[in-house]
Amino acid sequence: MPEQLAIDGGKPTREKMLLFGAPYFGDEEIAEVVDTIKSGWVSTGPKTKKFEDEFAAYVGAKYAIALNSCTAGLHLSMVVLGVGPGDEVIVPPLTFGATANVVEHVGAKPVFADIDPTTLCIDPQQIEKAITPRTKVIVPVHYGGMPCAMDEIRAIADAHRLQVVEDAAHAIGAKYKGRTIGTLSPLTNFSFYANKNLSTAEGGMVTTDDAALEEKLRVYHLHGLSRDAWKRYHTKEFSMSEVVVPGYKYNMTDLQASLGLHQLRKQEQFIARREELAAFYDEAFSEFDGVVRTAPRPHDGQSRHVLHLYVLLLDLARLKASRNQFISALLAENIGASMHFWPLHMHPYYREKYGYQPDDFPVARRVGESVLSLPLTPQMSERDAQDVVDAVRKVVEAYGR
Ligand SMILES: Cc1ncc(COP(=O)(O)O)c(C=O)c1O
């Protein structure tokens, strides 16, 4: 007899909830925040500048502009590339709403291109099929920290004279064939939301090597003013700042940058710990006879998946439960499982506006119905990881056919 699940009244695998994506701040972050508060300058200022400089150096980009979210960066990317009504932007369906929503914000049309079942990232062949004379931009999403097939995407973009804007919300520190994500396309956007590998509670960064794009991003990210606040207030000579375009309010604060500076310096350590925990999971789940399967990662020795998500795919034909029931059962066991993502073409807004059917993007649909994410954060212990494996085993045994 399988053990009774907590969701059915049994004893949970652990007493305390193991949170999904809990941020990991240390004394350094706390001291820096206090220092910032005491300095009297809490919004965009010297710490934001320092964070931008260190971030640009970490990824190897010429410029980094700190923002209040990755969504802001994706939106600004559309704005500075002049994307607007009548244009189409190719995005994968297996992503967060923001990737496509920003295309709607500028009045353009997001066009989905299905994902590759082996990488769970956008499939270059499907990009080719989605291109029309209106296509302007391709937005690859490095799903879960897995680098997309950037050589193929770059070749397609060059052949059709398209721009590439990367959604690297999950991918700080990721590498594609030895090159760090953040240096491969004109614009790359990172997220520092609470549960991301680098957290500033809320925040984002856009990187570019293009001086003209950097200039535009700087102006648009803060009201369209000709000079930002730090420069305005820290000069002996008064000079007026003027609105040169109707910009946005997308700047990062020094309070956020205080967290970011130390999170950035710890990234390599964090990634190494994520790799250890993922190796533990890999070994454990290899013994589940395919009922649960670990999403693939690159093995070319030159690319690096940064394990923002540790993703399992369920073989639903061998389970009596749906993916949602499976996650509910894990939550009852006090394992903070989550799901990334319900494909965008199946969300009401996109489904109704563009008339999509679930099987228009069959790979995304299949993955979207069977995918789940397990807790994976650098502060987790082996005991925590073992609890996750034990809970998954318990749920598989209870729901197995
Ligand atoms: C793939 C992807 N893109 C964009 C975003 C938006 O990031 P932010 O919350 O920083 O705006 C997220 C957030 O989770 C995401 O997962």
Side-chain angles (χ1 to χ4, degrees), residues 128-242:
E128 286 268 21
K129 288 190 194 157
I131 292 172
T132 75
R134 292 168 179 262
T135 309
K136 200 150 182 185
V137 181
I138 304 168
V139 185
V141 177
H142 305 295
Y143 174 83
M146 171 84 172
C148 294
M150 293 309 296
D151 281 349
E152 289 81 351
I153 293 170
R154 164 68 29 223
I156 295 169
D158 288 348
H160 296 270
R161 296 173 183 272
L162 305 175
Q163 299 280 5
V164 177
V165 171
E166 291 174 55
D167 180 337
H170 301 178
I172 177 173
K175 290 193 167 69
Y176 176 74
K177 297 188 180 171
R179 287 170 292 157
T180 307
I181 298 298
T183 58
L184 303 173
S185 301
L187 295 158
T188 305
N189 295 282
F190 298 87
S191 173
F192 308 141
Y193 174 65
N195 69 16
K196 293 299 189 287
N197 287 20
L198 185 164
S199 177
T200 61
E202 296 279 359
M205 190 77 79
V206 51
T207 59
T208 183
D209 281 350
D210 183 321
L213 286 178
E214 195 258 350
E215 174 77 29
K216 280 192 183 175
L217 289 163
R218 287 260 169 237
V219 170
Y220 271 104
H221 96 297
L222 194 65
H223 305 297
L225 291 172
S226 49
R227 342 180 42 177
D228 64 37
W230 173 246
K231 289 188 199 138
R232 271 183 284 139
Y233 294 119
H234 282 77
T235 166
K236 294 254 161 60
E237 206 178 306
F238 176 77
S239 81
M240 236 177 39
S241 180
E242 292 175 301

Side-chain angles (χ1 to χ4, degrees), residues 69-71 74 95-96 98-99 141 167 169-170 191 193 196 203 341:
S69 71
C70 176
T71 305
L74 290 165
T95 185
F96 187 62
T99 318
V141 177
D167 180 337
H170 301 178
S191 173
Y193 174 65
K196 293 299 189 287
F341 295 95

